[in-house]
Amino acid sequence: MIPFEVAIKIVRDNVVLTGTENIDIKKCLNRVLRQNVKSDMDMPPFDKSAMDGFACRMEDIPNELEIIETVPAGYKPTKEIGKNQCAKIMTGAMIPLGADCVIIVEDTEELENGKVKFTKAKTGVNICIKAEDVIKGDQLLSAGIRITPSVIAALALTGCVSPEVSSKPKVGIISTGDEIVEPYKMPLASQIRNTNSYQLLAQLEEFGCDPTYYGIVQDTKEATGEAIKKAKSENDLIILTGGVSMGEFDLVPGLLKENGFDILFDKVAIQPGKPTVFGRDGSKFVFGLPGNPVSSYLIFEIFVKEFLAGVMGLKNTVKLRRCVLANDFKRKHNVRHAWIPVSIDHNNFATPVDYHGSAHITALPNANGIMSVPVGISELKEGVDIDVRQL
Ligand code: AMP
Ligand code: MG
């Protein structure tokens, strides 16, 4: 059994970075950006009116102002503003030469002589100055970030309409177990429904991978071995669930070796998930996750995401949130690093979710974080600060 820190280092050290592709801006949500993006222009590109109103000289605002033109957004002013003159201007329009402020339309009165008068004592400048947000050449985005809607806005701003992103890692999912049936079926007395495969499909999809599901295989050498062989030939990574413990029908580690994988670890001092397997054959990788759905979920969060983030070149994957522990936490044994699903409330109090064991799948939807309890710690007192990994 190896410590968690050693196992996570093995995972990181074995990452093989995936290739890239260019994707249309409308299709790139949630992908990992693999290029730096610089601005090809100043923003704003010109002095711009922040309001609808009248562009004029600050010193003239006590006076009646002659309107010399109207400047809608998208048009260049044709006249320079002189003494006691103004241009009617719209939000987003270019400020005419000579003007140094915009008085807002709500603070003015149009007079019968066609002039306009400011009706307040003071005005703001109401001009967005050229390049105040972005200077041409500024690096706006760095390789290694997840593409979110606001990142897409920055791509659009710079005209980067076909950003370079990581190719999606291809991941094959195999569930093992004679007792497992698909959720479309009513299980017989000795059976349970397959939750892991669907959970994993969703976890992979959400993380930006390209998952393929290879179905449930029986706990026989032939069925499991064949599925491993096929999934290995068609994917960069295989994830199996079940069959990694010490039972007579836990065949997965042996079959992975028979199929050419080196086993880099097969027992980690973590709870849950002790029998987690990680293997490699050149550029092909495998995780064997314990069959219990909570273990499968947490090991995906902690190990598989770390691996896939490395593969996709994604930086800063883990979002930690400083919380206050809401109740005393105690455990009998402290020789493994524990990962505890917690629910964080609006006041930042984290409460371990009511969770009976690693088969208790319905506990997880109540969790929005995972608390880490390192080796050697048996007790955490209510009220202590803890760093919670956000889900
Ligand atoms: P195993 O790791 O194969 O010993 O399985 C551990 C436990 O997880 C057993 O109670 C299995 O029935 C259960 N299990 C295994 N695979 C799945 C699955 N795909 N969905 C739900 N439960 C599973
Ligand atoms: Mg099994």
Side-chain angles (χ1 to χ4, degrees), residues 175-176 179-180 192-196 241-243 245 250 290-293:
S175 273
T176 73
E179 77 283 27
I180 311 298
I192 60 165
R193 290 197 179 99
N194 179 8
T195 47
N196 292 348
T241 71
S245 316
D250 290 328
N292 270 316

Side-chain angles (χ1 to χ4, degrees), residues 178-192:
D178 290 356
E179 77 283 27
I180 311 298
V181 295
E182 296 297 11
Y184 313 96
K185 290 192 188 151
M186 178 56 85
L188 301 176
S190 58
Q191 297 178 325
I192 60 165

Side-chain angles (χ1 to χ4, degrees), residues 67-85:
I67 306 170
I68 58 169
E69 74 170 324
T70 296
V71 190
Y75 294 87
K76 252 184 117 170
T78 60
K79 294 180 180 153
E80 189 169 340
I81 304 296
K83 184 160 180 57
N84 293 335
Q85 292 182 326

Side-chain angles (χ1 to χ4, degrees), residues 32-202:
V32 176
L33 186 67
R34 287 280 288 278
Q35 64 171 104
N36 296 328
V37 177
K38 290 187 175 173
S39 182
D40 63 346
M41 55 162 65
D42 294 332
M43 271 314 278
F46 46 85
D47 290 341
K48 183 180 83 172
S49 180
M51 304 296 264
D52 295 319
F54 298 89
C56 63
R57 307 184 328 168
M58 188 75 88
E59 64 191 66
D60 295 340
I61 62 168
N63 311 328
E64 289 182 4
L65 303 174
E66 178 198 355
I67 306 170
I68 58 169
E69 74 170 324
T70 296
V71 190
Y75 294 87
K76 252 184 117 170
T78 60
K79 294 180 180 153
E80 189 169 340
I81 304 296
K83 184 160 180 57
N84 293 335
Q85 292 182 326
C86 70
K88 192 178 238 180
I89 195 160
M90 311 302 147
T91 304
M94 249 175 136
I95 299 289
L97 285 175
D100 57 11
C101 72
V102 172
I103 50 178
I104 69 173
V105 70
E106 295 88 332
D107 294 350
T108 61
E109 187 187 329
E110 288 206 44
L111 305 173
E112 275 171 12
N113 59 9
K115 293 188 175 178
V116 72
K117 195 166 172 24
F118 185 57
T119 55
K120 293 275 161 67
K122 261 174 107 175
T123 179
V125 171
N126 298 319
I127 295 175
C128 306
I129 305 296
K130 175 175 155 76
E132 72 178 12
D133 298 336
V134 176
I135 297 170
K136 181 176 175 173
D138 275 356
Q139 186 168 311
L140 300 185
L141 302 170
S142 305
I145 58 168
R146 178 80 74 186
I147 299 182
T148 60
S150 55
V151 169
I152 290 177
L155 291 170
L157 179 83
T158 56
C160 185
V161 292
S162 186
E164 185 184 4
V165 303
S166 291
S167 301
K168 289 186 173 190
K170 289 173 69 73
V171 185
I173 300 170
I174 303 168
S175 273
T176 73
D178 290 356
E179 77 283 27
I180 311 298
V181 295
E182 296 297 11
Y184 313 96
K185 290 192 188 151
M186 178 56 85
L188 301 176
S190 58
Q191 297 178 325
I192 60 165
R193 290 197 179 99
N194 179 8
T195 47
N196 292 348
S197 299
Y198 299 90
Q199 180 169 257
L200 280 169
L201 276 166

